[in-house]
Amino acid sequence: MKRRNFIKSMMAVSAVAVTPVALMAKDEAKAKKKGPNDLTFEAAVKAITGGKEVKESDKIKLTVPEIAENGAVVPVKVEVDHPMEEANYVKAIHVLNTKNGNARCADVMLTPANGRGYFATRVKLGSTQEVVALVELSDGTFIKTGKSVKVTIGGCG
C-alpha cells in the first residue's frame, strides 16, 4: 500500500509541475514574433504619425500593378500633387503593406529642393494585400491612399 500511495503522490506532484510550463509555452507561442523586425500595419502607422489623424486623399497617385506574378519585385510609384515651396511641401513619403511581417516597405524624406513629391521603388509582398502610400506634409498633417495587389506566386493563383 505504501508503494501505491507513493506513486500516486508522485504523479500528482509531476502533473502540478508540468501544467504551468505547458500553459506558459502556449502563451509564448502566441506572442512569438516571426522575426526581429515584425511590425503590424496599425503599429507602423501609429509610429509614423504619432497617433495623428490620417485622411484619405486623391492628391496622391499610387501606381501598383493589379496583379503581380512575382511578389518579390512589385513596382510602386507614388506621386503627390502638392506644391514644393519652402513653407509648404511634401515632407515624407512612406510605403506600407498590410499583411507582411514588417509593414514598412520604404520611408523617403523630401525637401523643397527635390522639386516634386515623387518616389518609385520595388517592394516585396508575401501575399495578396493592400499597398498604402502615407504622405506627411510640412504642416504636420498626414494623407494616404491605398491599392490592392494580387500576388500570384508562380503565376498560378
Side-chain angles (χ1 to χ4, degrees), residues 27 31 36 61-62 70 74 91 100 128 138 150:
D27 291 341
K61 182 180 176 190
L62 176 63
N70 184 357
V74 178
K91 190 173 179 182
N100 281 4
T128 298
S138 60
K150 182 178 181 180

Side-chain angles (χ1 to χ4, degrees), residues 13-122:
V13 168
S14 64
V16 170
V18 171
T19 303
V21 173
L23 292 174
M24 289 173 47
K26 286 183 180 179
D27 291 341
E28 285 180 22
K30 282 183 182 177
K32 190 173 183 179
K33 294 181 173 185
K34 294 177 185 172
N37 297 324
D38 279 1
L39 187 65
T40 64
F41 175 76
E42 292 80 15
V45 170
K46 187 175 180 180
I48 292 168
T49 63
K52 291 183 179 177
E53 181 184 4
V54 180
K55 295 180 180 175
E56 288 284 333
S57 177
D58 59 352
K59 291 184 176 182
I60 305 169
K61 182 180 176 190
L62 176 63
T63 306
V64 293
E66 285 183 35
I67 298 173
E69 286 188 27
N70 184 357
V73 286
V74 178
V76 177
K77 290 182 188 174
V78 181
E79 289 183 77
V80 184
D81 183 22
H82 191 78
M84 292 295 278
E85 303 162 349
E86 282 297 321
N88 188 18
Y89 61 95
V90 175
K91 190 173 179 182
I93 298 173
H94 305 275
V95 178
L96 308 167
N97 63 68
T98 57
K99 290 187 180 174
N100 281 4
N102 186 347
R104 292 180 100 156
C105 295
D107 300 304
V108 179
M109 307 303 158
L110 303 172
T111 68
N114 291 101
R116 65 180 181 144
Y118 174 81
F119 176 67
T121 188
R122 292 174 187 249

